[in-house]
Amino acid sequence: MDGALDACAQQSPRHPAWRDVDVATWADWRWQLRNRVTTEDALGELITLTASERRGMRGRATAFPTAVTPYYLSLFGDAQCPVRRQAVPLAAELETEPWDMRDPLAEEEHSPVPILSHRYPDRALMYVSHSCPVYCRHCTRQRKVGDANSAPGPAELDAAIEYLRATPQITDVLLSGGDPLSLSDTKLTGIVERVRSVRSVEVIRLCTRNPVTLPFRITEGLLEGLRAFHPIYVSTHFNHPNECTPEAGRA
């Protein structure tokens, strides 16, 4: 939490709806998650939704829902804002073509066991969480992300670790989702510890947009828990300069 409070020393603008929230609460990543905006009515009270956005939210409510943290929503501009366009669905999302692909990266085709995709000889991707702070509209895993039924259980994690042990040519493991940082510190470090225990694994990568959409998630406690399993790399995904805030820089 201390790191998160330091990040607020220089703050990006807040939406007026949250201007009276104290600094400690605003910098609490769990508060941000609990207060995500997820419905058309709630979002419509905060910004002026276009007809296309309203159609998109209604049409995608069950297939790939909307969710945005107060922090990230505070970066929104008008309807053409590049940050807003990443988080709020448009009616165009309801249009389908015969060549559209449910699994555009063919991850399931290359899954020898559930939650693990092994396409390239020396690396594998593990799907460890179904949840994200913001459901990005460009997500290539819309078939799974946001669906609690896709969250891996102990048996799936066990099978993935056993596959890594049995496949020593894999030296690089990506932990993805969803977003792995949506997990608690304990759950995330537990998974990292198990992957690090596989002697052939040299590189562990956390694939996360939390530095962009929820930078307060990068806490001293998280870093302390992960430090024992160094080296760990972070693959993140900034799409526009407007996302490069003081809070993101601190994270």
Side-chain angles (χ1 to χ4, degrees), residues 5 30 57 72 153 185 236:
L5 291 175
R30 293 179 179 86
M57 290 193 73
Y72 199 67
D185 292 358
T236 193

Side-chain angles (χ1 to χ4, degrees), residues 12-13 22 76 96 170 178 206 215 219 246:
S12 53
D22 64 84
F76 285 8
T96 59
I170 297 175
L206 301 178
T219 64

Side-chain angles (χ1 to χ4, degrees), residues 29-157:
W29 67 276
R30 293 179 179 86
W31 180 91
Q32 290 277 336
L33 287 180
R34 287 195 301 270
N35 287 274
R36 288 187 305 173
V37 180
T38 60
T39 68
E40 178 188 350
D41 287 345
L43 188 58
E45 292 180 1
L46 298 167
I47 62 175
T48 302
L49 290 169
T50 66
S52 179
E53 288 173 328
R54 288 188 179 277
R55 284 187 58 208
M57 290 193 73
R58 291 171 192 167
R60 296 288 276 161
T62 55
F64 186 54
T66 302
V68 57
T69 57
Y71 163 82
Y72 199 67
L73 188 148
S74 295
L75 305 183
F76 285 8
D78 63 19
Q80 299 306 313
C81 168
V83 178
R84 177 168 164 173
R85 288 291 297 272
Q86 292 180 66
V88 183
L90 301 180
E93 285 193 31
L94 307 178
E95 300 172 9
T96 59
E97 301 292 349
W99 52 83
D100 286 344
M101 303 175 72
R102 178 176 175 272
D103 179 15
L105 301 183
E107 292 174 331
E108 293 176 10
E109 179 183 339
H110 295 92
S111 291
V113 295
I115 82 163
L116 186 143
S117 180
H118 183 196
R119 174 185 296 170
Y120 305 105
D122 66 339
R123 73 196 64 163
L125 180 145
M126 287 176 58
Y127 178 89
V128 299
S129 170
H130 73 284
S131 182
C132 297
V134 174
Y135 291 131
C136 303
R137 308 323 298 177
H138 52 272
C139 180
T140 59
R141 277 188 210 117
Q142 295 183 21
R143 68 193 185 278
K144 300 171 73 172
V145 172
D147 179 5
N149 293 323
S150 75
E156 288 84 4
L157 288 169

